Each structure stands twice: as structure tokens, then as C-alpha cells.
Amino acid sequence: MDKPFAITLDVRSSLANHTGTWRSERPVYVDGLPPCNHACPAGEQVQAWLYAAEDGSYETAWRRLVNDNPFPAVMGRVCYHPCETACNRAELDSAVGINSVERFLGDEAIARGWRLPEPSAPTGRRVLVVGAGPAGLSAAYQLRLRGHEVEIHEAGSQPGGMMRFGIPTFRLPRDVLDAEISRLLELGITLRLDTPVTDLVRTMTAGRFDAAFLAVGAQLSRRAYIPAGQAARILDALEVLGQAAAGERPQLGRTVIVYGGGNTAMDTARTARRLGAEEAIVVYRRTQAQMPADATELREALEEGVQIRWLRTISAVGGGTLRLEKMSLDDDGRPQPTGEFEELTGDCVILALGQDVDRALLDTVPGAEVVDGVLQVDATMMTARPGVFAGGDVVPSTRSVTVGIGHGKAAAVNIDRWLTANPRPDPALATSSVPSPVRVGPPAPDPRRPVPFGRLNTWYYSDAPHRTRPRLEAARRTADFGEVVGGLEADTALYEARRCLSCGNCFGCDNCVGVCPDNAVHTVDDARGYAIDLDYCKGCGLCAEECPCGAIEMEPEPT
Ligand SMILES: Cc1cc2nc3c(=O)[nH]c(=O)nc-3n(C[C@H](O)[C@H](O)[C@H](O)COP(=O)(O)OP(=O)(O)OC[C@H]3O[C@@H](n4cnc5c(N)ncnc54)[C@H](O)[C@@H]3O)c2cc1C
Ligand code: SF4
Ligand code: SF4
Ligand code: SF4
């Protein structure tokens, strides 16, 4: 955007305008909370890293981003980007392509070999992380940055959790995942693979751990009771996805039926098409509007020829034939059986009905509370057992990679505070009584409310239609597991970053300097860059009115 034409005299040159006592309001510069930051479950400072990317300072942008999230290349591929749903620019034309710029920065970092920040000085405290999925890896990263020794115990043979064993490679190529995980481990995090934790207290005692973070996810596939004949082939979605992710080609047959309506169902049906199924049919008991699958995933599945039978349940499976019951919605929107049936032929049925948490390990945590199948934590993400924290799919929340990463970071911050409040007892001063652990309250919440669209002065922003990412033609997608969605080029990433309206945060346009009729606003050599000389300001509010991004607010004059 061109800077607006600055009008008047030299700063503070109109001495006759020295303010008396008649001002009732004064302008103040604020750092507003951009809606994108507020909506990002990983707590990214989106506006701040977009601001750096706007002039091509990509490494600075990436460094700001990885303060909160060490997986930008993964996020730029799998995050459902609630930040874009919240973006104010959507009210002007369309949301800033935050997710695509994030992917660009992530890919750029891998290509250029940028390293993560160095950890702080060693604290001598040891933290056990159970599970190397997104939540565990994020917590390990944040704890390591704070100088703690971190050991991850992972049951599987490779790290990544559902990022590796669930999300198909055509959405998340494994070289990208490997690059971001190994860069994180290089910070000095110990990863023990093929090491399931079966008794938490015993593992903590044996390893002299001061605290633990449980990030074991939800690994048990839900089953449905379906009467099935001898010849019926009923498979589990996670098993099929895991095999495909490992490069195997399970033989599913010509027609594959997938039962479920979430993202796992979409991924499974799309995977089945790539494994050679001529037909992949999803059976879902509700309507499209009620489907939990992400809209983009559904659209891509339909483009790839996946068919959906809405308002149907599977009531029986025989050899090659399924009996479906039609459903109808009751007044509360719940599906109810109609007693009407139809038949469908299929070579196998793959159940994609969601996952449950395995309680085996949780039951070894003294006092741990499990409600509705998930582990309860307080506002600091600590379980009822002092020093044992948890996050990701194992606790009550939306299940996504981004939420897991946010939980990992929040838990790490709280573990760090908890360790500070609970120093390891000095053995020389040992007494017979062990002090009770000190609990720490949650950090103070951000009191700011997201900057609404109405706070912006959009007259100053130029038209800039959104640039979309390239996508592989639908007809070519099912031939193999090649990545479907491409990345932005450097020039389109720059363009997309510049579409950001910088909601609530000054972007240095000089407008306030130019529009002040009393020349009270001037540039200064500090981080803010602008100051208002209250000896000259009359409180007219023009600067606040004309600031494009709502970075100036009028406050009542102090009495
Ligand atoms: C098919 C599929 C597709 C998905 N697609 C997306 C998507 O596109 N975007 C998105 O945001 N989310 C997606 N999700 C959801 C997302 O993957 C999960 O919400 C997220 O991975 C949860 O992270 P987590 O770290 O809590 O658990 P997980 O990723 O499940 O990781 C838990 C780890 O703990 C290990 N573990 C378990 N028990 C033990 C034990 N006793 N000892 C040691 N280790 C143990 C497991 O082996 C695993 O590695 C998808 C999920 C699935 C199943
Ligand atoms: S992690 Fe997701 S929600 Fe957060 S900024 Fe990136 S795309 Fe948006
Ligand atoms: S315009 Fe920029 S600062 Fe505002 S919500 Fe969108 S991305 Fe965030
Ligand atoms: S008018 Fe421009 S320079 Fe002044 S506060 Fe707003 S964005 Fe910053």
C-alpha cells in the first residue's frame, strides 16, 4: 500500500496550539489482539510473523513463528486453519491465506536448513514425555528451550503419532514430517522408540523425573456391533491408513465401503481409491451439514470420485453384500431408524468411527480422573496427580494436530512454573517429612478482546484478491500417493502476506502523523516508532479515526 499523503506543517510547529485543559479524551497507541492470533490453537503470533514476511524477511518471520510452533511445514499442510475463519480480511474480500504462507515459511526453512533457537542454560530438572505425537513433541520442544532435560518414551517404532500413522502421505509427505521432527530432536531431546510406558510412577521413579507430560493420544479404534457373516471382511481404518503410510498396499478389492463421517473416513476412502478401489463409498448416518469431516477434505474426496450415502447405517454385512438402513432426522436433528432397508455390494467394510483413549496407562496414575473416557486436567493442564500433566487427544478437547501442539506448549509453560515452585529437595537437608507439592495457578489470561472488523478503516487498503495454492488435477490424484496441494512461490507468498490488514497493530503507515491538525504526532526512535505530544494534542480523535488498523484508541482524560 502506498503511504497516504502527509499534510501539514513540521511536527509541533504550531506553538499557538499548545493545549489547555479542555481535552476530554486522549489517543493512546495499543497492541490489539488480532483475531487470527486469538483463533490459532497453537497460540501463534500470526500478525507478527506475517508482518515480517511482508517485506520478504522470511527467516525473521519463521523465527517468530517457531517460538510457538516448531512445525510450520506440517501445519501449512494439515491445520484446519481456524485463524482464517476468524480473519478480518474475510469481511473485505477473502481471508488472508495464513496457512499457505505458513507452509511457504516451513518449506523455506527446510530447504535453507534454518535451525531452531538454542535451549537456555541447563536447569538440572528432568521431564518425562510419554508419546511422540504432536502434543508430546511440542511439549518436549518448549521444555527443552527452557533448559530442562527431556526424555520422550514412545511406544511406536517412529515418532509423529497420528501425523505419521494416520494422516495420509498425499496430504503430508513424510520427508517434510521427518525434517521438522529431526530438527527438533537435534536440540538435545532424548527419544526412546519402542518404549511403551506401562506404569507411570515406576517409570518416573526409575528415571528420576521431576515431572511428566502424558500425550498418549486416543489409539483405540471404535467398533460398532454389526452382525456379520463368515465371509464378511471388516477392517479398521487406522490399520489400513497405517499400512498405506508405511508403503504397503493392502488388498481391499474393487468396491470399498467406509463407515463413518469424520476426517478419518475421508482419508480412508481417498486412500482406498489410491490403493486401486474403483469405488469408495462412505456410509454416514447423518446429513452433509452434520458431517464432522473438514469441508475441504470432503470436497477433495468428492473430486476424487468418493461417493457418500447420507442418512444410512450398516445393519448387517454378509459376504460381498451389506444391508443399509435408511435414517431420518427427528425434531432434535438426531438420526432415527426408518425400518426401510437397501442393499449395497462391497468387497470390504472399513470402520472409521473415531478413536477412544486406552485407559491402561491412565489407571497407573494415582488419583487420575477419567470422565467420559478422557483424562481430566485443571487449567494448568495438570492431572489430579501433582507434577503429572497431560494434553492432546487424551484430554477433553477438539482433536487436531494444532490443538495438540497448543496443549504441549501450554503444558510446558506450566510445568516450567511448577518446577520452579517445587525445587528438588536438597538431600543434605533431608527430613523425614516430605513437603506437599506446591500447586501453581494458571497464568493470567490475556484480557484483550480480538480486534473487530469495525475497528478498521478499510478505505486505506487496496483491493487484493486471494491467491490460491495449486492443486493436482482430480483425474491424476488417484494414480499414486503424490501430494495433492502445492505450495506458494516466493512472490505469491509475499503478496498473500501483504494482504494482512495488521489488525490492531501499527504497521508504520505514518497516517497518524499526517492527519493530526495540531502536528502533535511525531516519529520517535523506539520500538513503537510514534509518540503523541500531549502538550499539543486537542483530543480530536482524528488519528484514531484515520488509523487504518485500529492501533490507536481514545481514552478518557485522567482526572
Ligand atoms: C486419519 C486421521 C487424520 C487426521 N487428520 C488431521 C488433520 O488433517 N489435521 C489435524 O489437525 N488433525 C488431524 N487428525 C487428528 C490428529 O492427528 C490428532 O488430533 C493428533 O495427532 C493428536 O495428537 P496427540 O499427540 O495427542 O496424539 P497422537 O498423535 O495419537 O500421538 C500419541 C503418541 O503416543 C504414543 N503412545 C500411546 N500410548 C503410549 C504409551 N503407553 N507409552 C508410550 N507411547 C505411547 C503413540 O504411539 C503415539 O505416537 C487426524 C487424525 C486421524 C486419525
Ligand atoms: S497453526 Fe493453523 S490456526 Fe495457527 S496460524 Fe497456522 S494455520 Fe492458522
Ligand atoms: S487481516 Fe491480518 S491481522 Fe487481521 S485477522 Fe487477518 S491475518 Fe490477522
Ligand atoms: S496510523 Fe499508521 S502509523 Fe499511525 S498508528 Fe496507525 S498504522 Fe501506525
Side-chain angles (χ1 to χ4, degrees), residues 30-40 43-48 86 88 445-453 455-456 502-506 549-551 553:
V30 295
D31 293 313
L33 176 61
C36 49
N37 295 21
H38 182 66
C40 172
E44 288 184 20
Q45 305 297 303
V46 181
Q47 178 274 331
N88 273 332
D446 190 336
R448 299 173 300 170
R449 295 165 72 87
V451 176
F453 180 70
R455 281 286 298 131
L456 309 178
S502 197
C503 306
N505 288 268
C506 172
C549 64
E553 280 178 6

Coordinates of all heavy atoms in Angstrom, one line a residue, residues 30-40 43-48 86 88 445-453 455-456 502-506 549-551 553:
V30 N -2.1 1.3 21.0 CA -2.3 0.0 21.6 C -1.7 -1.2 20.8 O -1.4 -1.0 19.6 CB -3.9 -0.3 21.7 CG1 -4.5 0.7 22.7 CG2 -4.5 -0.3 20.4
D31 N -1.5 -2.3 21.4 CA -1.2 -3.5 20.7 C -2.5 -4.4 20.8 O -2.7 -5.1 21.8 CB 0.0 -4.3 21.3 CG 1.3 -3.4 21.2 OD1 1.5 -3.0 20.0 OD2 2.0 -3.2 22.2
G32 N -3.3 -4.3 19.8 CA -4.5 -5.1 19.8 C -4.3 -6.5 19.6 O -3.2 -7.0 19.2
L33 N -5.3 -7.3 19.9 CA -5.2 -8.8 19.7 C -5.9 -9.1 18.4 O -7.1 -9.0 18.2 CB -6.0 -9.5 20.8 CG -6.1 -11.0 20.7 CD1 -4.7 -11.7 20.8 CD2 -6.9 -11.6 21.9
P34 N -5.0 -9.5 17.4 CA -5.6 -9.8 16.1 C -6.4 -11.1 16.2 O -6.1 -12.0 16.9 CB -4.4 -10.1 15.2 CG -3.2 -9.5 15.9 CD -3.6 -9.6 17.4
P35 N -7.6 -11.1 15.5 CA -8.5 -12.3 15.6 C -7.8 -13.6 15.2 O -8.0 -14.6 15.7 CB -9.6 -12.0 14.6 CG -9.5 -10.5 14.3 CD -8.1 -10.0 14.6
C36 N -6.8 -13.5 14.2 CA -6.1 -14.7 13.8 C -5.3 -15.3 14.9 O -5.3 -16.5 15.2 CB -5.2 -14.4 12.6 SG -4.1 -12.9 12.9
N37 N -4.6 -14.4 15.7 CA -3.8 -14.9 16.8 C -4.7 -15.6 17.8 O -4.4 -16.6 18.4 CB -3.1 -13.7 17.6 CG -2.1 -13.0 16.8 OD1 -2.1 -13.1 15.5 ND2 -1.2 -12.3 17.4
H38 N -5.8 -14.9 18.1 CA -6.8 -15.3 19.1 C -7.3 -16.7 18.7 O -7.5 -17.6 19.6 CB -7.9 -14.3 19.2 CG -8.9 -14.7 20.2 ND1 -8.7 -14.7 21.5 CD2 -10.2 -15.0 20.1 CE1 -9.8 -15.0 22.2 NE2 -10.7 -15.2 21.3
A39 N -7.5 -17.0 17.4 CA -8.1 -18.2 17.0 C -7.1 -19.4 16.8 O -7.6 -20.5 16.7 CB -8.9 -18.0 15.7
C40 N -5.8 -19.1 16.7 CA -4.9 -20.2 16.5 C -4.7 -21.0 17.7 O -4.3 -20.6 18.7 CB -3.5 -19.6 16.1 SG -2.3 -20.9 15.9
G43 N -1.5 -21.0 19.5 CA -1.1 -19.7 20.1 C 0.0 -18.9 19.3 O 0.8 -18.2 19.8
E44 N -0.1 -19.1 17.9 CA 0.9 -18.4 17.1 C 0.6 -16.9 17.1 O -0.6 -16.5 17.1 CB 0.9 -18.9 15.7 CG 1.5 -20.3 15.6 CD 1.5 -20.8 14.1 OE1 1.5 -20.0 13.2 OE2 1.7 -22.0 14.0
Q45 N 1.7 -16.1 17.0 CA 1.5 -14.6 16.8 C 1.5 -14.4 15.3 O 2.4 -13.9 14.7 CB 2.7 -13.9 17.5 CG 2.9 -14.3 18.9 CD 1.8 -13.8 19.8 OE1 1.4 -12.7 19.8 NE2 1.1 -14.8 20.5
V46 N 0.3 -14.7 14.7 CA 0.2 -14.7 13.3 C 0.5 -13.4 12.7 O 1.3 -13.2 11.7 CB -1.2 -15.2 12.9 CG1 -1.3 -15.2 11.4 CG2 -1.5 -16.5 13.5
Q47 N -0.1 -12.3 13.2 CA 0.1 -11.0 12.6 C 1.5 -10.6 12.7 O 2.1 -10.0 11.7 CB -0.8 -10.0 13.4 CG -0.7 -8.5 12.9 CD 0.4 -7.8 13.6 OE1 0.8 -8.2 14.8 NE2 1.0 -6.9 13.0
A48 N 2.2 -11.0 13.7 CA 3.6 -10.6 13.9 C 4.5 -11.3 12.8 O 5.4 -10.6 12.3 CB 4.1 -10.9 15.3
A86 N -11.4 -16.8 11.3 CA -11.5 -15.6 12.1 C -11.0 -14.3 11.5 O -11.2 -13.2 11.9 CB -10.8 -15.8 13.5
N88 N -10.2 -11.0 9.8 CA -11.0 -9.8 9.4 C -11.1 -9.5 7.9 O -12.0 -9.0 7.4 CB -10.5 -8.6 10.1 CG -11.0 -8.4 11.5 OD1 -12.1 -8.9 11.8 ND2 -10.3 -7.8 12.4
P445 N -5.0 -14.8 32.2 CA -5.4 -14.8 30.8 C -5.2 -13.4 30.1 O -5.1 -12.4 30.8 CB -6.9 -15.2 30.9 CG -7.3 -14.8 32.3 CD -6.1 -14.9 33.1
D446 N -5.1 -13.4 28.8 CA -5.0 -12.2 28.0 C -6.3 -11.4 28.1 O -7.3 -11.9 27.7 CB -4.6 -12.5 26.6 CG -4.3 -11.3 25.8 OD1 -4.6 -10.2 26.2 OD2 -3.6 -11.5 24.7
P447 N -6.3 -10.2 28.7 CA -7.5 -9.5 28.9 C -8.1 -8.9 27.7 O -9.2 -8.5 27.6 CB -7.2 -8.4 29.9 CG -5.7 -8.2 29.7 CD -5.1 -9.5 29.2
R448 N -7.3 -8.9 26.6 CA -7.7 -8.2 25.4 C -8.8 -9.0 24.6 O -8.8 -10.2 24.6 CB -6.5 -7.9 24.5 CG -5.5 -7.1 25.1 CD -4.3 -7.0 24.2 NE -3.7 -8.3 24.0 CZ -2.7 -8.6 23.1 NH1 -2.3 -7.6 22.3 NH2 -2.2 -9.8 22.9
R449 N -9.7 -8.3 23.9 CA -10.6 -8.9 23.1 C -10.2 -8.8 21.6 O -9.5 -7.8 21.3 CB -12.0 -8.3 23.2 CG -12.6 -8.4 24.6 CD -13.7 -7.5 24.8 NE -14.9 -7.8 24.0 CZ -15.8 -8.7 24.5 NH1 -15.7 -9.2 25.7 NH2 -16.9 -9.0 23.7
P450 N -10.4 -9.8 20.8 CA -9.9 -9.6 19.4 C -10.5 -8.4 18.7 O -11.6 -8.0 19.0 CB -10.5 -10.9 18.7 CG -11.0 -11.8 19.8 CD -11.2 -11.0 21.0
V451 N -9.6 -7.8 17.9 CA -10.0 -6.5 17.2 C -11.1 -6.8 16.2 O -10.9 -7.6 15.3 CB -8.7 -5.9 16.5 CG1 -9.1 -4.7 15.7 CG2 -7.6 -5.6 17.5
P452 N -12.3 -6.2 16.4 CA -13.3 -6.5 15.4 C -13.1 -5.7 14.1 O -12.4 -4.7 14.0 CB -14.6 -5.9 16.1 CG -14.1 -4.9 17.0 CD -12.7 -5.2 17.4
F453 N -13.7 -6.2 13.0 CA -13.6 -5.6 11.7 C -14.0 -4.1 11.7 O -13.3 -3.3 11.1 CB -14.5 -6.4 10.7 CG -14.4 -5.9 9.3 CD1 -13.3 -6.0 8.5 CD2 -15.5 -5.2 8.7 CE1 -13.2 -5.5 7.2 CE2 -15.5 -4.7 7.4 CZ -14.3 -4.9 6.7
R455 N -13.3 -1.9 13.7 CA -12.3 -1.0 14.2 C -11.3 -0.6 13.1 O -10.5 0.3 13.3 CB -11.4 -1.7 15.3 CG -12.0 -1.8 16.7 CD -12.0 -0.4 17.4 NE -10.7 0.1 17.6 CZ -10.2 1.3 17.4 NH1 -11.0 2.2 16.8 NH2 -9.0 1.7 17.6
L456 N -11.5 -1.2 12.0 CA -10.5 -1.0 10.9 C -11.1 0.2 10.0 O -12.3 0.3 9.8 CB -10.3 -2.2 10.0 CG -9.9 -3.5 10.8 CD1 -9.7 -4.6 9.8 CD2 -8.6 -3.3 11.6
S502 N -3.2 -6.1 9.4 CA -2.4 -5.8 10.6 C -3.3 -5.4 11.7 O -3.0 -4.5 12.5 CB -1.4 -4.7 10.3 OG -0.4 -4.7 11.3
C503 N -4.4 -6.1 11.9 CA -5.5 -5.7 12.8 C -5.0 -5.4 14.2 O -4.4 -6.2 14.9 CB -6.5 -6.8 13.0 SG -7.2 -7.4 11.4
G504 N -5.2 -4.1 14.6 CA -4.8 -3.7 16.0 C -3.4 -3.4 16.2 O -3.0 -3.1 17.3
N505 N -2.5 -3.5 15.2 CA -1.1 -3.4 15.4 C -0.5 -2.4 14.3 O -0.7 -2.7 13.1 CB -0.4 -4.7 15.4 CG -0.7 -5.5 16.6 OD1 0.0 -5.5 17.6 ND2 -1.8 -6.3 16.6
C506 N 0.1 -1.4 14.8 CA 0.7 -0.4 13.9 C 1.6 -1.0 12.9 O 2.4 -1.9 13.2 CB 1.5 0.6 14.8 SG 2.4 1.8 13.8
C549 N -5.6 0.5 10.9 CA -5.7 -0.9 11.5 C -6.2 -0.8 13.0 O -6.2 -1.9 13.6 CB -4.3 -1.5 11.4 SG -3.1 -0.7 12.4
G550 N -6.7 0.3 13.4 CA -7.2 0.4 14.8 C -6.2 0.3 15.9 O -6.4 -0.3 16.9
A551 N -5.0 0.8 15.6 CA -3.9 0.7 16.6 C -3.9 1.9 17.5 O -3.0 2.0 18.3 CB -2.5 0.6 15.9
E553 N -6.4 4.1 20.2 CA -7.7 4.2 20.8 C -7.8 5.5 21.6 O -6.8 6.0 22.1 CB -7.9 3.0 21.8 CG -8.2 1.8 21.0 CD -8.4 0.6 21.9 OE1 -8.3 0.7 23.2 OE2 -8.6 -0.5 21.4

